[in-house]
Amino acid sequence: MSGYPWGEFVQSLGATAATAFAVLLVTFALVVARTGPERLHRIVDVAWGIAFTAVALVSYAMSAGEGDDGRRLLVTLLTAAWGLRLAAHIAARGRGHGEDPRYEKLLAKARGNRELYALRRVYLLQGALVWLVSLPVQAAQFIPGPVTAIGWAGAAVWAVGMFFEAVGDRQLHRFKSDPANRGRIMDRGLWSWTRHPNYFGDCCVWWGLFLFACDDWAVAAATVVGPLVMTALLTRGSGKALLERHMAARPGYDEYAARTSGFFPRPPKKS
């Protein structure tokens, strides 16, 4: 596919970067405005999905008159559906709880002002990651041609990802809501096929969105860093690896890990 408006796309990158950082900085201001136990940096995880949605909306506005209208609308809606569902889920999950142990551990390393340390290591870093990971969403909206079979395949991969993420989150919520399950390992439903259905789903969502950029090989090559970074975060960064270190000491976890796939879904091994 030829005729990609590289100049207009590059010009839009400043606006999307400003949008991502603005969402995270507003979140930081709201957090530090609170006092005592209400000052919880875990709220930044709610802003994560909102920031992706905001970037997609700004890209939609900036690409008007350049990209195909159907492609622009579809990519924006898929990104917003993922981002807003995730934000709502995390907000509901964290209601009534204290600080996230990840942030407690991180802030314990602060030398000097804890809030400025959090600003650098959490909020500004997440703003940069939102902008980087969302590059395929931003670039796809400037592609002038209509969605092809590759893009529709991306929509299908996105749908698989949303299923695993949303259903996995719902199953875990119901399991943890039952007092009889306190201290037990969730090994039912999707969690019997993969130890991380939500992270696997997240990965599928972003590779699916990346396929919308693959209708132009040059655009795909320039933005493949987005899903690669998201996959690294989910498997080696703050996702799977960190959670499994936290879960390793729980009774029964070794047996669960031995019979259940670590990431890609497959039927559980027999005991």
Side-chain angles (χ1 to χ4, degrees), residues 53-257:
T53 301
V55 166
L57 290 171
V58 170
S59 295
Y60 180 79
M62 298 288 289
S63 61
E66 303 293 344
D68 176 74
D69 288 343
R71 179 192 300 272
R72 291 168 56 237
L73 181 61
L74 181 57
V75 170
T76 300
L77 290 176
L78 295 183
T79 306
W82 170 83
L84 295 179
R85 188 214 71 87
L86 181 63
H89 168 71
I90 292 176
R93 185 184 65 187
R95 189 176 297 118
H97 294 275
E99 186 60 279
D100 189 306
R102 294 174 301 159
Y103 298 128
E104 285 184 344
K105 184 176 180 179
L106 176 65
L107 293 176
K109 302 176 183 178
R111 297 292 181 268
N113 190 298
R114 285 167 56 93
E115 307 310 327
L116 291 180
Y117 185 79
L119 175 63
R120 297 193 308 271
R121 294 295 303 274
V122 178
Y123 295 85
L124 294 180
L125 176 60
Q126 289 204 21
L129 288 172
V130 166
W131 181 82
L132 185 63
V133 170
S134 65
L135 282 176
V137 167
Q138 300 177 50
Q141 299 201 47
F142 284 84
I143 294 178
V147 178
T148 67
I150 298 176
W152 290 116
V157 174
W158 176 93
V160 170
M162 279 290 285
F163 171 81
F164 270 85
E165 189 170 354
V167 173
D169 284 340
R170 179 59 181 167
Q171 289 176 343
L172 182 61
H173 171 73
R174 293 180 62 182
F175 178 84
K176 296 175 75 172
S177 297
D178 186 348
N181 293 324
R182 186 177 301 275
R184 297 177 59 188
I185 299 296
M186 170 54 163
D187 60 355
R188 308 170 188 176
L190 295 179
W191 298 83
S192 67
W193 284 63
T194 167
R195 301 198 295 273
H196 305 282
N198 47 355
Y199 294 155
F200 170 75
D202 226 350
C203 186
C204 287
V205 163
W206 282 97
W207 281 105
L209 290 171
F210 167 70
L211 289 178
F212 282 96
C214 291
D215 283 330
D216 188 306
W217 69 267
V219 174
T223 61
V224 70
V225 63
L228 288 174
V229 168
M230 179 61 92
T231 302
L233 289 173
L234 293 169
T235 58
R236 299 181 180 275
S238 59
K240 174 182 181 292
L242 184 62
L243 180 59
E244 291 194 343
R245 286 197 296 270
H246 175 71
M247 295 286 291
R250 289 198 178 185
Y253 187 78
D254 288 343
E255 293 81 359
Y256 171 62

Side-chain angles (χ1 to χ4, degrees), residues 3-83:
Y4 187 81
W6 286 103
E8 289 76 6
F9 167 61
V10 171
Q11 290 177 13
S12 75
L13 294 178
T16 54
T19 300
F21 284 113
V23 173
L24 273 299
L25 288 173
V26 168
T27 304
F28 174 75
L30 292 174
V31 171
V32 298
R34 299 183 176 189
T35 58
E38 296 298 318
R39 182 178 286 189
L40 300 174
H41 290 288
R42 70 182 306 153
I43 298 174
V44 70
D45 294 337
V46 178
W48 176 254
I50 295 173
F52 279 106
T53 301
V55 166
L57 290 171
V58 170
S59 295
Y60 180 79
M62 298 288 289
S63 61
E66 303 293 344
D68 176 74
D69 288 343
R71 179 192 300 272
R72 291 168 56 237
L73 181 61
L74 181 57
V75 170
T76 300
L77 290 176
L78 295 183
T79 306
W82 170 83

